[in-house]
Amino acid sequence: MEQRKPAVLVLADGTVFEGVATGKIGTTTGEIAFNTGMTGYQEVFTDPSYFGQILIMTTSHIGNYGVHAEEVESDSIKIAGLVTKKFSEIYSRTSATGSLEELMLQSNTVGISDLDTRSLVRHIRSKGAMNAVISSEILDVNQLKEIVANAPSMDGLELSSKVACTEAYEVCPENPQYRVSLIDFGVKKNIVRCLVDRGCHVKVFPLNSTKADMDSFNPDGYMLSNGPGDPSAMPNSVQLVKELVESGKPIFGICLGHQIL
């Protein structure tokens, strides 16, 4: 295996972490967040809720079981960047369809590894949410501080429109018992799958759909999906949810959908 290129992570408060590059050689910015899952990294990276975020994985080894074509929550990696303690270029699972490195390269995902993720997570837990920049092409810290200072804040940022579907579609079990109209703010595939497993005929509607659109499916209830960004930047969606609530039909949400509700 060839030697990894150096990479640098700079937080908005000026804190610097050095490591080595993973994925695409490049520069990326976003709000930094962390995930404590011990498995399921591919599902996490393809979760639309993380769109625009640089993600720290707290589990020590990432990439060791490769990736699988069926273990996705959307059509591509959605995170803006990846931070790991140890990154495995090889994988041992025989059913894997490729390596995480290959998937990151296909999705143009920039990453950094071989840094102290425990210290990094403790830092952002105490200092609060902030933006960060990862670069494996620019190693000048002052230049990176300028880049992260100009990165857009997640406050007031609308991102759902970048990951939601543009055309309505339906998923139905063999013998449906219920009908659910689901508004897509960035839905994970598993949310639809769980509803179908419980006997629901689900119709997924684009972000700009109206109550009349959703009612045309004659649903027994409404589902407000997960998604990225700041709900305060989505006044049209807030108004839609108010109208859905006033209908008196069952309504439930998760993640961003629950925040709007």
Side-chain angles (χ1 to χ4, degrees):
M1 292 181 289
E2 63 181 64
Q3 186 173 1
R4 293 271 179 185
K5 293 185 177 182
V8 180
L9 168 70
V10 179
L11 302 182
D13 66 0
T15 305
V16 178
F17 289 82
E18 296 181 349
V20 297
T22 60
K24 180 187 176 183
I25 300 301
T27 302
T28 188
T29 61
E31 183 183 61
I32 195 160
F34 64 90
N35 184 282
T36 59
M38 297 183 69
T39 61
Y41 53 74
Q42 186 181 356
E43 291 91 334
V44 172
F45 302 160
T46 56
D47 182 347
S49 294
Y50 284 117
F51 182 83
Q53 291 186 311
I54 290 175
L55 188 63
I56 311 162
M57 296 301 291
T58 61
T59 298
S60 297
H61 296 89
I62 297 296
N64 51 308
Y65 59 81
V67 297
H68 196 287
E70 296 181 0
E71 295 174 356
V72 294
E73 294 295 351
S74 65
D75 58 357
S76 65
I77 289 180
K78 291 296 187 287
I79 59 174
L82 176 62
V83 183
T84 59
K85 182 177 181 180
K86 292 296 180 183
F87 185 91
S88 179
E89 301 172 55
I90 60 175
Y91 57 91
S92 58
R93 185 171 55 158
T94 57
S95 63
T97 54
S99 70
L100 178 57
E101 174 88 348
E102 292 167 342
L103 183 62
M104 290 177 67
L105 290 171
Q106 291 168 12
S107 299
N108 294 320
T109 306
V110 176
I112 183 172
S113 71
D114 289 45
L115 52 75
D116 187 349
T117 51
R118 181 186 292 267
S119 173
L120 175 57
V121 169
R122 287 173 65 88
H123 181 83
I124 64 173
R125 284 192 65 184
S126 61
K127 299 297 183 180
M130 67 181 78
N131 281 335
V133 57
I134 299 173
S135 186
S136 47
E137 61 180 357
I138 302 169
L139 302 181
D140 183 288
V141 171
N142 290 327
Q143 187 177 350
L144 292 174
K145 287 181 179 179
E146 184 176 344
I147 291 173
V148 73
N150 292 319
S153 170
M154 191 65 77
D155 291 336
L157 199 61
E158 189 280 302
L159 295 175
S160 285
S161 59
K162 299 183 182 299
V163 294
C165 67
T166 57
E167 299 286 341
Y169 62 93
E170 297 181 36
V171 186
C172 184
E174 286 189 11
N175 298 299
Q177 295 177 279
Y178 310 102
R179 298 170 69 86
V180 175
S181 287
L182 186 154
I183 187 75
D184 183 8
F185 298 132
V187 69
K188 295 196 297 184
K189 288 186 176 182
N190 198 47
I191 291 175
V192 177
R193 187 183 303 120
C194 285
L195 288 170
V196 171
D197 287 346
R198 287 158 178 78
C200 297
H201 181 179
V202 181
K203 186 167 184 177
V204 181
F205 289 85
L207 180 66
N208 59 358
S209 300
T210 65
K211 181 176 181 293
D213 293 332
M214 299 180 72
D215 284 345
S216 67
F217 186 58
N218 192 27
D220 297 299
Y222 307 105
M223 172 73 194
L224 315 175
S225 85
N226 61 295
D230 185 349
S232 69
M234 304 171 68
N236 292 339
S237 296
V238 171
Q239 179 58 38
L240 170 64
V241 172
K242 287 182 179 179
E243 295 174 8
L244 296 178
V245 170
E246 290 171 357
S247 74
K249 287 187 176 182
I251 182 169
F252 45 110
I254 185 170
C255 185
L256 180 67
H258 187 264
Q259 290 176 293
I260 294 176
L261 181 59

